[in-house]
Amino acid sequence: MNTVLALAFSSDGHTLLTAGADRTVRLWNIALPPPATAIRRICRALGRDLTAPERSTYLPDQAPHATCPT
């Protein structure tokens, strides 16, 4: 495992630059997907809808509802 010696975010917040002890500089795309895409990916990974506690933790500003498309 290589040690990261430095990191910096781009001004738009979509790219992370890391510099390692192995003298390698890497650029990482860290742009978040749109909310609908993120929810689809989460539902697919879980293989189920969010539970009530998960929904209240991650979507506190939304009324209880089925989160994952059927």
Side-chain angles (χ1 to χ4, degrees), residues 11-69:
S11 59
D12 66 4
H14 292 235
T15 306
L16 173 69
L17 177 139
T18 59
D22 63 353
R23 305 183 85 168
T24 301
V25 174
R26 291 185 173 91
L27 295 175
W28 305 86
N29 178 4
I30 57 170
L32 295 175
T37 302
I39 288 171
R40 277 194 307 276
R41 288 179 184 172
I42 291 166
C43 293
R44 203 172 328 140
L46 291 174
R48 61 172 173 78
D49 202 351
L50 297 178
T51 64
E54 289 168 338
R55 197 174 297 105
S56 68
T57 299
Y58 300 113
L59 303 168
D61 57 339
Q62 294 187 16
H65 66 286
T67 306
C68 296

